[in-house]
Amino acid sequence: MDDLKILGSEEWCRFDDLGIPAIKARVDSGAKTSSIQASKIKVFNKGLEEWVRFEVNPVQDNRSISILCQAKLVDVRNVKSSQGIAEERPVIRTSVTIAGKSYEIDLTLANRDTMEYRMLLGREAMNDRFLVNPSESFIQGDITEEQLEQKYKPYTTEKKGLRIGLLASNPNLYSNKRIIEAGEMRGHKVVFLNVEHVYMKLDASTPEIRYRGGNILDKFDAVIPRIKPAVTFYGCALLRQFDTLGVYCLNTADSIGRSRDKLFASQLFSKNDIHIPTTGFAKSPMDTKDLIRMVSGAPLIIKLLESTQGKGVVLAETNKAAESVINAFKSVQTNILVQEFIKEANGHDIRCFVVNGKVVASMQRTAQKGEFRANIHQGGAASKVKITPEERKLAIKSAKVFNLDVAGVDLIRSNKGPLLLEVNSSPGLEGIENTTGKDIANVMIETIERKLKYKH
C-alpha cells in the first residue's frame, strides 16, 4: 500500500498512442470504467480486426482543437449515463500516462460534450495503482493555461474564421442578407441553409444532418435560426439535431418553441411576475360574456394564438362586436386570446432588441391613422426612443424567461407602467437598424464568437 501514489479529485492524463498530450480527468472511484469524450465515432475493419475511428476535443470550451484518433475495438458495453439512460458505447484499450507512469486501461468512448471534464478516470484504471484523496486537486501536478497552449500548438491551425449556418427560408430578406454580410465582414464563412432542404438521420451512433443532394452538414461551428412560424415544428427539430451534433445554436429549439406558444408564454410571464395586459382564454362560446368582462370589456384585442407581424389581431370596439368575433373564431375551432386594450398607449409600442442579455437597440413604433397595430409590417412608422431603466429591465427579463440569446421584445406604456406585449424569437433587423443606425447583425455575430471563445 505504501508504494501506491495518491490522486486528487482531478488530475492530468496523457495518451501517447492516441496523440493526446494532456487531458483533464475527473477521478471518480464510483464509476467502474474510464471514459473519454469522443465524437464522429466510426467502426471499420482493419484486416480481420474491428477498429474504431473517432475525434476528441480534449480541451474544454475549445472546439477548434480536434484530434483524430483510431484504436482497436475491444468491446461494446451497455453503459448507464448519469441520467440513468442506457446506451451502447465502444471500448478501446490504450496506454495512459498518469503521475509519470504508463498503464494499459480500458476506455469507453462517450459523448461528454456537455460535461465539465473531457475524461473520467474510473476505479478499474486505479485498482492496485492509486489511492484517492477527494479533498485535493492535481496532487500529481497541474498544467497552466500557457503550458496547455504550448502542448496543443502543433494541433492549432491558423484561424480561418468560424463556419456558421443561417437556417431560414428566404435568402433575399434584408435580415438574412445583413447577417451573412456581417459574418463575412468578421472573417467567417456564413452558409444559407433553407429549412425545407435540410433533413436528418436519427441514429444513436452516427446521427447526421444532410442537405438536398446528400451533402452531410458536419462542419458547422454555429447555426443562426431565422425560422418562420409556418415551419416552427420542423425548424425546431433540426435545431435539436444540430445541438446533438455539438453545434452552438443562437436560440435553441426549446426557447423558440416556448416563445411561439402565445398561451404558454402568457402563463410563463404571469409565473415570473412580468406584467402584461389582462388576458383571457376560454374553450367554450358559453364563457364569451364573462371572458369580455374579465378583461374590462370593450374595446378589447382578440388575437389568434398563431398570429405574427400583427396578422390575426383584431380590435373589437363594442361588447357586441367582441362577442361576434370571438364566437366566429370559436365556431371554426380556432384558439384565441382576448386581451385588455391599453387606450393610453395611443397606437404606440416599443420594440427592444435584446442580444445576449443586453438591450442593444430600441425603437418606438406608431400605428397608421385609423389603425391600432404599430407593427411595421402593418404600415407603422418607427422612430428612435429612449427607454426607461424599468423598461430595459422588463425587456431583459422577458428574453431571459425563454433563454433567448436574440429576441425582439415588444412593450407598451400604460398608466400602470410598462407592460409586455410579446417576445419574438426571430426579430427582423431592417426597421430597427434603419431607425437606430446600429449594426445589430454584427452584435449577433460577436455573440457567437463570445459563446465559442473565438478570438480574431
Side-chain angles (χ1 to χ4, degrees):
M1 292 286 278
D2 292 344
D3 59 348
L4 297 185
K5 288 199 172 180
I6 297 174
L7 300 181
S9 61
E10 48 189 341
E11 295 290 349
W12 288 97
C13 301
R14 190 175 86 233
F15 291 93
D16 292 334
D17 296 347
L18 299 178
I20 298 171
I23 188 165
K24 192 195 288 182
R26 181 161 86 88
V27 178
D28 185 0
S29 56
K32 183 184 175 189
T33 319
S34 301
S35 67
I36 194 166
Q37 179 274 338
S39 60
K40 298 178 187 169
I41 301 166
K42 206 91 177 158
V43 176
F44 67 99
N45 291 324
K46 203 173 181 179
L48 296 173
E49 293 178 335
E50 274 194 316
W51 279 55
V52 63
R53 188 181 291 118
F54 54 97
E55 273 184 32
V56 176
N57 299 111
V59 184
Q60 186 71 24
D61 291 330
N62 189 341
R63 287 203 180 119
S64 67
I65 296 172
S66 183
I67 297 175
L68 184 62
C69 310
Q70 56 179 42
K72 188 179 166 186
L73 183 70
V74 296
D75 196 7
V76 175
R77 290 187 195 162
N78 246 334
V79 179
K80 266 193 179 175
S81 72
S82 53
Q83 284 86 33
I85 300 163
E87 58 180 355
E88 285 194 335
R89 289 183 189 164
V91 182
I92 63 168
R93 191 161 292 139
T94 190
S95 172
V96 64
T97 303
I98 312 169
K101 281 200 170 182
S102 299
Y103 312 90
E104 286 267 301
I105 66 165
D106 282 358
L107 206 53
T108 61
L109 307 181
N111 185 352
R112 299 184 57 80
D113 234 20
T114 56
M115 306 290 186
E116 192 185 340
Y117 298 89
R118 310 313 249 175
M119 186 189 159
L120 186 143
L121 190 71
R123 65 177 177 273
E124 267 184 355
M126 295 186 279
N127 283 347
D128 301 323
R129 292 173 183 151
F130 300 103
L131 295 172
V132 181
N133 177 357
S135 64
E136 297 281 339
S137 289
F138 306 117
I139 292 173
Q140 297 302 327
D142 200 357
I143 295 173
T144 65
E145 286 280 336
E146 292 74 24
Q147 289 169 329
L148 194 63
E149 206 173 295
Q150 208 53 41
K151 284 178 187 288
Y152 280 104
K153 208 165 189 179
Y155 302 88
T156 312
T157 50
E158 201 183 321
K159 288 224 167 56
K160 291 178 184 168
L162 298 169
R163 193 170 164 84
I164 300 169
L166 177 59
L167 192 64
S169 297
N170 181 356
N172 299 315
L173 278 186
Y174 174 94
S175 300
N176 297 336
K177 287 193 333 201
R178 279 288 299 114
I179 288 167
I180 291 170
E181 186 183 277
E184 288 177 349
M185 284 281 287
R186 296 186 68 82
H188 308 303
K189 172 82 175 154
V190 186
V191 181
F192 183 86
L193 301 172
N194 188 316
V195 177
E196 291 169 58
H197 296 176
V198 185
Y199 54 102
M200 53 195 148
K201 173 190 169 196
L202 305 174
D203 174 66
S205 52
T206 56
E208 286 175 354
I209 296 185
R210 296 191 177 211
Y211 202 65
R212 186 166 285 176
N215 294 326
I216 297 174
L217 304 178
D218 63 348
K219 295 280 186 280
F220 287 98
D221 299 294
V223 164
I224 301 172
R226 305 279 309 167
I227 298 164
K228 63 183 182 183
V231 290
T232 299
F233 178 80
Y234 189 63
C236 285
L238 289 174
L239 286 177
R240 282 191 291 273
Q241 189 79 346
F242 273 114
D243 182 59
T244 297
L245 297 175
V247 178
Y248 168 68
C249 301
L250 187 70
N251 282 355
T252 63
D254 282 353
S255 301
I256 293 168
R258 285 149 67 115
S259 70
R260 291 266 164 97
D261 183 337
K262 283 193 166 56
L263 179 60
F264 180 47
S266 299
Q267 291 172 314
L268 264 184
F269 299 145
S270 298
K271 187 179 174 182
N272 287 279
D273 195 31
I274 291 171
H275 295 278
I276 61 172
T278 305
T279 302
F281 178 78
K283 184 74 182 150
S284 166
M286 304 291 285
D287 303 311
T288 300
K289 279 187 167 62
D290 194 40
L291 201 60
I292 292 168
R293 274 196 297 274
M294 203 163 69
V295 299
S296 308
L300 55 81
I301 305 286
I302 299 157
K303 283 183 182 180
L304 286 178
L305 276 186
E306 290 78 29
S307 66
T308 177
Q309 296 177 347
K311 295 169 191 159
V313 181
V314 177
L315 171 67
E317 304 215 21
T318 66
N319 285 357
K320 201 167 177 52
E323 270 186 65
S324 304
V325 175
I326 293 167
N327 293 338
F329 275 136
K330 288 197 176 301
S331 69
V332 290
Q333 304 296 303
T334 302
N335 284 319
I336 55 161
L337 289 177
V338 176
Q339 202 167 64
E340 169 191 18
F341 178 63
I342 307 298
K343 194 179 177 189
E344 63 270 21
N346 203 19
H348 296 296
D349 74 12
I350 293 168
R351 159 63 61 93
C352 296
F353 211 105
V354 180
V355 182
N356 199 23
K358 289 191 177 101
V359 177
V360 296
S362 305
M363 65 176 174
Q364 180 166 269
R365 302 180 300 189
T366 306
Q368 271 185 329
K369 200 167 170 56
E371 173 61 77
F372 71 97
R373 295 167 295 183
N375 305 64
I376 290 169
H377 286 90
Q378 299 301 327
S383 58
K384 277 188 186 180
V385 68
K386 189 169 170 50
I387 59 169
T388 66
E390 196 184 355
E391 287 162 350
R392 185 177 299 277
K393 201 172 158 188
L394 176 59
I396 292 166
K397 188 178 179 183
S398 305
K400 200 176 175 185
V401 159
F402 298 112
N403 287 325
L404 287 166
D405 284 330
V406 174
V409 180
D410 295 340
L411 312 174
I412 200 165
R413 287 172 170 169
S414 80
N415 294 336
K416 297 180 275 189
L419 301 175
L420 176 69
L421 289 180
E422 70 173 314
V423 178
N424 187 324
S425 58
S426 293
L429 303 185
E430 188 169 10
I432 200 147
E433 281 198 343
N434 291 339
T435 304
T436 63
K438 294 202 173 157
D439 189 348
I440 292 169
N442 185 63
V443 177
M444 289 167 70
I445 302 295
E446 280 182 329
T447 297
I448 292 172
E449 292 174 357
R450 210 167 289 131
K451 297 277 183 183
L452 295 180
K453 294 184 165 54
Y454 173 87
K455 290 185 179 73
H456 283 274

